[in-house]
């Protein structure tokens, strides 16, 4: 037990009851709940100082711009980026990966280049690369998984050669919970001059991340998975890599000068922020980071590990339940995918919901990984700082009911 | 009746003991349906004589909602005239529409298994993502009927 239970009071939605039972929210890997401080920061900002950013020579716009840029500074300090201008606000991790794939890949990849991804990528770090590969003639290649659900680093190193132009890897699998050793992967990839792209959507909300020791060229993540609002995320990039990248969207805000037939771009990061940005969402994002840092990312990681270990132990005692992911908590985050005998995961999720237990069921936007696991879908429980052992106990109890119902065991 | 009881009594019965699951030797129509969201699959086969469904099969794999819906559907349409079946599809889909309350309008002489069983699926309306599962066999049946009218 890591004593974060008092935090639950900060999350209004956790007071809800579903079917007369308290909600046990176990789907933070899809999106997290929001503390009052984030809700209030956004509400207060709308009431006191909201206006569009960057263009207005009036007080409200100046204040709004200050808050928006202060949020950028806040995000930068959270991942220890040396300069806030290395942080681009985007719609979320998916749009960041599209920007990198099209904006960098679209102009740098050549026929015969290889894009090396992993077998456990979310569709967001796969489909954009497929699109760019089709356009440029680059080829996709994949780092396989070991039987222990970890990346096979020997095969990875065998596959690395001068043709590898991009190495794209998740910081934490949203299905298996696997946390690959990014610094080691990045160092090897750098040896062949490859661009290293890390999908941090699952990692950044749950572990301390320092871009100065990570070794990546790009790191992307979404606010809504780390207590912040939907509609905003961040792309961190090394300055020289950001310079190499072409903007993907044109419009207002991203230009230096516009002629009828051509334009020049604004400086980085605004070059990549066409149109009115998610201003209030940026303020909420900063408030979420304030909250996370007040709790402490080390404490959050320890709490996740404690709950994950407890859950793995308890789930191991459920007859005919299969867990897909590394056996221990080492190199593994708080995401547990499972199936129960031949019960379809969608049936399982519906039954669990009857007991107030919210889990996700489906392919988790990782269809190639589902095929690798030879299952059409899994159920998935995921933890965050507001979850407790009581949530795990409720999950296990509800699984018992589902087993009885479906005649398992 | 809670959803759990529905699962126990009706849905699971059809899921574990699906009716009319054997492919037909000779089919006048054959349609395949897939729900890309969850991978449910249903194949519907029909034989028709004088505008009446004389034999039916629904073969597939997936969750209990899609497969039990397929099984109940075969019971419900066998021996019915095509226009009656089209009306039944319409009524079933209306029943699964969360915003509508409908009279199922089935034959009061033999409501029995048909009315009771199909009604069991109404409980899944609370779960919009599962409505697609329940509707899949019916959408596939509609495609099979469309093949008949095309040919």
């Amino acid at each position: 037990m890591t004593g974060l239970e008092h935090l639950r009071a900060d999350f209004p939605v956790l007071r809800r009851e579903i079917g007369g039972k308290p909600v046990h929210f176990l789907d933070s890997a899809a999106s997290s709940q929001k503390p009052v401080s984030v809700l209030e920061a956004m509400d207060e900002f709308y009431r006191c100082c909201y206006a569009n950013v960057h263009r207005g020579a009036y007080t409200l716009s100046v204040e709004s711009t200050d808050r928006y840029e202060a949020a950028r500074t806040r995000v930068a300090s959270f991942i220890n980026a040396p300069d806030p201008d290395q942080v681009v606000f985007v719609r979320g991790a998916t749009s960041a990966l599209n920007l990198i794939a099209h904006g960098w890949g679209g102009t740098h990849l050549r026929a015969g280049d290889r894009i090396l991804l992993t077998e456990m990528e979310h569709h967001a770090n796969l489909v954009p690369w497929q699109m760019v590969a089709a356009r440029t003639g680059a080829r996709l290649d994949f780092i396989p998984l070991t039987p222990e659900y970890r990346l096979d680093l020997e095969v990875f190193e065998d596959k690395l050669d001068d043709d590898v132009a991009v190495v794209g890897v998740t910081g934490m699998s949203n299905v298996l919970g696997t946390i690959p050793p990014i610094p080691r992967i990045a160092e090897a990839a750098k040896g062949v001059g490859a661009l290293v792209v890390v999908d941090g959507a699952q990692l950044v909300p749950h572990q301390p991340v320092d871009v100065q020791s990570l070794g990546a060229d790009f790191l992307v993540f979404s606010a809504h998975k780390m207590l912040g609002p939907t509609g905003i995320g961040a792309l961190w990039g090394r300055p020289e890599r950001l310079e190499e990248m072409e903007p993907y969207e044109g419009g207002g805000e991203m230009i230096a000068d516009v002629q009828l037939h051509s334009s020049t771009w604004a400086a980085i990061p605004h070059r990549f922020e066409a149109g009115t940005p998610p201003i209030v969402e940026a303020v909420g994002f900063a408030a979420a980071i304030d909250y996370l840092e007040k709790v402490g990312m080390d404490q959050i990681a320890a709490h996740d590990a404690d709950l994950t270990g407890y859950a793995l132990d308890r789930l191991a005692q459920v007859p005919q339940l299969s867990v897909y992911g590394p056996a221990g908590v080492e190199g593994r985050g708080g995401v547990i995918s499972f199936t129960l005998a031949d019960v379809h995961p969608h049936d399982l999720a519906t039954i669990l919901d009857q007991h107030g237990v919210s889990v996700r069921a489906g392919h988790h936007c990782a269809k190639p990984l589902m095929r690798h696991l030879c299952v059409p879908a899994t159920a998935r429980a995921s933890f965050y700082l507001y979850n407790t052992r009581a949530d795990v106990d409720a999950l296990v109890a509800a699984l018992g009911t589902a087993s009885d119902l479906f005649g398992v065991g | 009746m809670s959803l759990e009881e529905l699962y126990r009594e009706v849905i699971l019965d059809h899921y574990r003991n699906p009716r009319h699951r054997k492919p037909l030797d000779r089919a006048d129509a054959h349609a395949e349906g897939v729900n890309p969201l969850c991978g449910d699959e249903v194949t519907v086969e029909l034989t028709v004589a004088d505008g009446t469904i004389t034999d039916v099969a629904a073969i597939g794999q997936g969750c209990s909602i899609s497969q039990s819906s397929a099984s109940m559907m075969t019971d419900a349409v066998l021996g019915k005239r095509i226009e009656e079946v089209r009306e039944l599809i319409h009524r079933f889909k209306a029943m699964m529409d969360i915003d509508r309350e409908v009279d199922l309008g089935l034959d009061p002489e033999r409501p029995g298994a048909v009315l009771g069983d199909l009604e069991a699926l109404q409980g899944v309306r609370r779960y919009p993502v599962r409505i697609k599962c329940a509707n899949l066999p019916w959408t596939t049946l509609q495609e099979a009927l469309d093949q008949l009218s095309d040919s």
Side-chain angles (χ1 to χ4, degrees):
Chain A
M1 305 289 268
T2 46
L4 296 185
E5 193 148 1
H6 61 284
L7 300 178
R8 290 176 64 81
D10 298 335
F11 295 81
V13 82
L14 298 181
R15 282 172 227 150
R16 270 227 26 204
E17 294 195 338
I18 310 266
K21 292 169 179 133
V23 65
H24 296 283
F25 183 75
L26 296 174
D27 195 21
S28 295
S31 197
S32 73
Q33 299 297 346
K34 322 302 173 196
V36 170
S37 62
V38 168
L39 308 178
E40 285 179 347
M42 295 174 72
D43 186 65
E44 184 261 348
F45 181 64
Y46 267 126
R47 289 169 194 275
C48 82
C49 3
Y50 177 78
N52 210 335
V53 291
H54 292 311
R55 286 174 295 273
Y58 54 90
T59 304
L60 285 181
S61 177
V62 171
E63 287 179 9
S64 211
T65 305
D66 285 350
R67 292 286 294 273
Y68 180 67
E69 292 302 328
R72 193 190 308 280
T73 304
R74 196 74 195 79
V75 172
S77 73
F78 183 64
I79 53 173
N80 199 29
D83 182 349
D85 287 348
Q86 297 172 6
V87 173
V88 180
F89 280 131
V90 289
R91 206 178 68 239
T94 296
S95 76
L97 290 164
N98 275 278
L99 171 57
I100 297 164
H102 294 278
W104 192 93
T107 52
H108 287 76
L109 291 172
R110 300 280 171 268
D113 282 348
R114 272 155 65 227
I115 302 164
L116 190 51
L117 307 173
T118 81
E119 281 184 349
M120 60 180 179
E121 292 312 303
H122 188 282
H123 294 167
N125 201 23
L126 171 60
V127 180
W129 296 112
Q130 292 174 343
M131 294 161 89
V132 172
R135 228 174 67 207
T136 59
R139 285 182 300 125
L140 295 172
D141 198 358
F142 297 91
I143 309 170
L145 294 173
T146 67
E148 293 79 36
Y149 302 101
R150 301 196 185 273
L151 284 186
D152 192 327
L153 295 178
E154 281 179 28
V155 176
F156 165 61
E157 276 155 19
D158 285 348
K159 281 178 184 275
L160 268 186
D161 59 36
D162 290 342
D163 290 340
V164 175
V166 175
V167 172
V169 57
T170 180
M172 183 203 293
S173 163
N174 70 311
V175 176
L176 306 172
T178 306
I179 299 177
I182 299 293
R184 180 175 160 190
I185 291 168
E187 196 187 338
K190 284 287 164 62
V192 298
L195 181 85
V196 179
V197 180
V198 175
D199 173 2
Q202 298 295 337
L203 181 70
V204 173
H206 294 273
Q207 307 252 330
V209 173
D210 178 344
V211 292
Q212 297 191 43
S213 59
L214 195 65
D217 291 295
F218 289 115
L219 171 73
V220 309
F221 49 103
S222 298
H224 73 92
K225 291 192 205 289
M226 46 193 287
L227 312 184
T230 53
I232 191 167
L235 179 162
W236 169 83
R238 284 185 194 286
E240 61 273 25
R241 294 301 200 178
L242 288 168
E243 283 293 346
E244 290 170 2
M245 191 160 70
E246 280 291 306
Y248 173 53
E249 286 187 316
E253 193 105 28
M254 55 77 70
I255 48 85
D257 186 35
V258 177
Q259 307 282 340
L260 277 178
H261 292 280
S262 65
S263 301
T264 52
W265 310 147
I268 293 166
H270 300 110
R271 181 181 300 176
F272 304 112
E273 296 179 2
T276 295
I279 306 163
V280 183
E281 287 74 9
V283 170
F285 196 176
I289 289 173
D290 287 343
Y291 189 96
L292 291 172
E293 290 207 324
K294 209 170 122 205
V295 178
M297 291 308 294
D298 286 322
Q299 278 69 25
I300 292 169
H303 177 78
D304 280 351
D306 175 75
L307 269 187
T308 306
Y310 178 69
L312 287 172
D313 287 349
R314 295 240 28 210
L315 290 172
Q317 290 154 21
V318 177
Q320 296 193 54
L321 186 133
S322 309
V323 169
Y324 304 89
V329 296
E330 199 59 39
R332 184 200 212 294
V335 168
I336 302 179
S337 281
F338 57 92
T339 54
L340 179 66
D342 64 344
V343 180
H344 195 284
H346 280 181
D347 288 325
L348 203 49
T350 302
I351 299 297
L352 296 184
D353 184 65
Q354 298 281 297
H355 295 265
V357 178
S358 312
V359 300
R360 186 147 292 252
H363 52 64
H364 314 295
C365 296
K367 288 189 103 164
L369 178 57
M370 292 294 123
R371 279 185 209 109
H372 175 84
L373 301 175
C374 298
V375 291
T378 68
R380 181 188 72 186
S382 53
F383 310 120
Y384 211 1
L385 45 87
Y386 38 66
N387 289 118
T388 64
R389 290 188 174 199
D391 293 326
V392 176
D393 294 340
L395 168 67
V396 172
L399 284 169
T401 313
S403 294
D404 291 346
L405 204 56
F406 281 86
V408 174
Chain B
M1 193 185 272
S2 77
L3 185 58
E4 225 165 83
E5 287 165 307
L6 285 174
Y7 258 105
R8 178 171 287 130
E9 294 198 2
V10 183
I11 297 175
L12 280 179
D13 175 43
H14 279 272
Y15 182 48
R16 296 291 191 213
N17 311 295
R19 296 18 161 200
H20 307 107
R21 206 176 167 85
K22 192 169 163 291
L24 303 183
D25 294 333
R26 183 193 65 79
D28 296 315
H30 171 108
E32 293 173 15
V34 175
N35 180 351
L37 209 65
C38 56
D40 289 341
E41 293 171 14
V42 174
T43 298
V44 173
E45 295 183 334
L46 300 172
T47 55
V48 178
D50 297 331
T52 298
I53 308 282
T54 52
D55 208 352
V56 59
I59 308 115
Q61 55 178 1
C63 69
S64 66
I65 301 298
S66 66
Q67 301 308 308
S68 67
S69 178
S71 170
M72 291 176 209
M73 181 183 79
T74 58
D75 269 350
V77 304
L78 185 61
K80 285 220 164 54
R81 298 195 56 77
I82 287 175
E83 55 272 20
E84 288 178 289
V85 172
R86 285 196 182 276
E87 182 60 21
L88 189 60
I89 293 171
H90 177 73
R91 291 216 165 99
F92 181 83
K93 290 200 166 180
M95 177 181 85
M96 298 312 294
D97 184 338
I98 199 150
D99 297 324
R100 288 171 67 180
E101 283 299 331
V102 287
D103 170 15
L104 283 177
L106 296 168
D107 182 358
E109 292 302 309
R110 43 182 301 256
V114 175
L115 180 64
D117 288 4
L118 284 177
E119 264 187 330
L121 286 168
Q122 200 167 354
V124 307
R125 289 199 310 177
R126 274 183 53 213
Y127 299 88
V129 73
R130 309 299 306 276
I131 292 172
K132 291 193 176 70
C133 308
N135 279 343
L136 176 67
W138 297 83
T139 306
T140 312
L141 173 64
Q142 197 158 10
E143 275 173 35
L145 293 179
D146 290 347
Q147 286 174 13
L148 291 172
S149 39
D150 287 348
S151 57

